[in-house]
Amino acid sequence: MSDASGPAMGPAAGGEAERAKSKRIGALKALWPFMKPYLGLMIAALVALTVTACVSLVLPMAVRRVVDSFDAREATLLNQYFGAALGIAAILAVGTGLRYYLVTRLGERVVADIRRAVFDKTIGMSPAFFEKVMTGEVLSRITTDTTLILSVIGSSVSIALRNILIFIGGLVLMLLTSAKLSSLVLLIVPAVIVPIIVLGRRLRVLSRENQDQIAASSGNASEALLSVQTVQAFTHEAPSRAHFAGFTEAAFDAARKRIATRAVMTVIVIFLVFAGIVGVLWIGARDVQSEAMTPGELVQFLIYAIMVAGGVAALSEIWGELQRAAGATERLVELLSAEDTVQDPQDAPELGRLEGRVTFEDVVFHYPARPTVAALDGVSLEVKPGETVALVGPSGAGKSTIIQLILRFYDPDAGSIRLDGHDLREIDRADFRRSVALVPQDPVIFAASARENIRFGRPDASDADVEEAAKAAAAHEFLVGLPDGYDSYVGERGVMLSGGQKQRIALARAILRDAPILLLDEATSALDAESEAAVQMAVERLSKDRTTLVVAHRLATVKKADRIVVFEAGRIVATGTHDALVAEGGLYARLARLQFTEGLAAE
């Protein structure tokens, strides 16, 4: 996989070079393409935010009028001031509610779009991508990281903008109220900004590290829970718990450091701000005593000073949220900008229904995770339309790799693979995959009904078509025996079904697909003898008018193939019919002897 597809995304790969990125708060600019479509919503929220900030700045003026009018003889004037203050409060309440609605709605909409974009991107990535990135880690990014972004877009940004407006407006009005006291307040600002900058850098690094550890923890938990039966069968619960606890504690330690750093920054900022205000108010109180300013002016100045100080304190906390969101944004951008090693061409020709001719021309291939070991080494093979070819050989010989390359999960390092004369790299993957049906070695069953699982490869199929495919795959009998028949829920990964039942549903799915090319990867390995015979008959009927490649260890399933291709160490070592290969001796004859002769003797 190219470097662009991922800086490795776990903590082990989250080195200093990668984490240094999180120092760039500008990483949040990557959110703009998701926010731009909702420009009208943003403008409306900004207007509501500006109105509420301005109204907040007007309130101290009303308070000053009230304080300085306490000795006024006309009660009507005093009542007017109080009435005006109440009206301002009402405008502030409505404006704040409107701002909350608009900003929160914007945040939810943008985050929903980001989640869709990340899922849409990763669901189309080739298997090489998932060799380096754990599925649980991707899920962590879709959930945890987007939640951080939601808190920023839906709350922190609007609060930050409001506090910036109040900070700037409050400073200006403080100057107009008392230039002397305001100049003293401004002397405090550098003392407040320095710890924000210094500690903020440390906080950004810790925030990124915390998110890396959380993602690693999610990936570990996902892996263990998806394999829970194996974990329990090998009494590996205690080591698994200890392993997960290690990840969780690492995430907690990173969070504890982040929280401590933020707490120290908050303490320093708030103390400096309010200590400065106390000092300034002491000077102001002396000015009131000397009648250099009125009590109302001092109260007005005090309120503005508190608003400005509150704005600075809020901004220091929000800055930490923005840093965490910047780290989360970078992690999501890594996924969105990941480049797949398998790319569709720009101007791919449109394919009709393929005849089913499959050609391998001197193909060499290494799996990205094993670059020094050739999975296929100079393989040339042609399968004619309608021909059934069985691929046999020991484990790791390269049989299943043939299936992977036909589906273009990977591209060969050398040579070419063609369908009906078209190089796979020159046609759209989704286009040619419609002409291919697969029954994998480990059948994938989704958390849905049996009917929906069979219909997975052809969503527009009728119920009658589904049942016909199930009958052809010898699955109808056990399906009608389920509590709700075909509509029975089969559980996550088909946990409510036996291995043979899952395999028959997977075969029914491939039969319903009705594709000209059928790929069977150990399709009968989990079946009992009776079911295997029934499925074998179904496969024979199905393969008569389509190209079929059968990967099998059990030679009984391939004896009737038109041709058998024997693989060893990534090379084709023999080709022929069952009888011819047995007579020839060699690897196939040895495998046949082991299965039929010793197998019968063992019985």
Side-chain angles (χ1 to χ4, degrees), residues 31 125 212 226 258 269 312 363 377 380 485 564:
L31 298 177
M125 297 297 283
D212 282 343
L226 288 173
R258 174 181 57 79
V269 170
V312 171
V363 170
D377 187 6
S380 294
I564 298 171

Side-chain angles (χ1 to χ4, degrees), residues 286-333:
R286 293 173 64 87
D287 286 347
V288 170
Q289 283 183 333
S290 62
E291 298 185 351
M293 64 190 306
T294 67
E297 287 175 329
L298 179 59
V299 170
Q300 178 177 316
F301 183 86
L302 171 62
I303 295 174
Y304 282 134
I306 291 173
M307 291 173 72
V308 169
V312 171
L315 286 172
S316 70
E317 291 201 15
I318 291 166
W319 188 248
E321 290 294 328
L322 292 175
Q323 290 156 352
R324 292 188 71 198
T329 301
E330 284 177 351
R331 291 159 53 79
L332 289 167
V333 167

Side-chain angles (χ1 to χ4, degrees), residues 217-232:
S217 176
S218 297
N220 176 259
S222 173
E223 183 179 44
L225 293 174
L226 288 173
S227 310
V228 67
Q229 292 184 359
T230 303
V231 170
Q232 293 175 0

Side-chain angles (χ1 to χ4, degrees), residues 57 84 139 223 239 295 352 396 405 452 491 518 531 549:
L57 292 170
L139 294 176
E223 183 179 44
L405 293 180
E452 290 307 310
L518 179 63
S531 295
L549 275 81

Side-chain angles (χ1 to χ4, degrees), residues 169-193:
L171 276 179
V172 171
L173 291 169
M174 280 170 61
L175 283 166
L176 294 175
T177 305
S178 173
K180 173 186 172 182
L181 296 182
S182 298
S183 60
L184 294 174
V185 169
L186 290 176
L187 293 176
I188 306 168
V189 173
V192 175
I193 291 176

Side-chain angles (χ1 to χ4, degrees), residues 34-35 37-38 108-118 120:
F34 295 98
M35 299 176 68
Y38 310 106
E108 293 285 358
R109 181 65 267 169
V110 168
V111 165
D113 290 349
I114 292 173
R115 284 176 175 155
R116 286 182 57 186
V118 172
D120 290 350

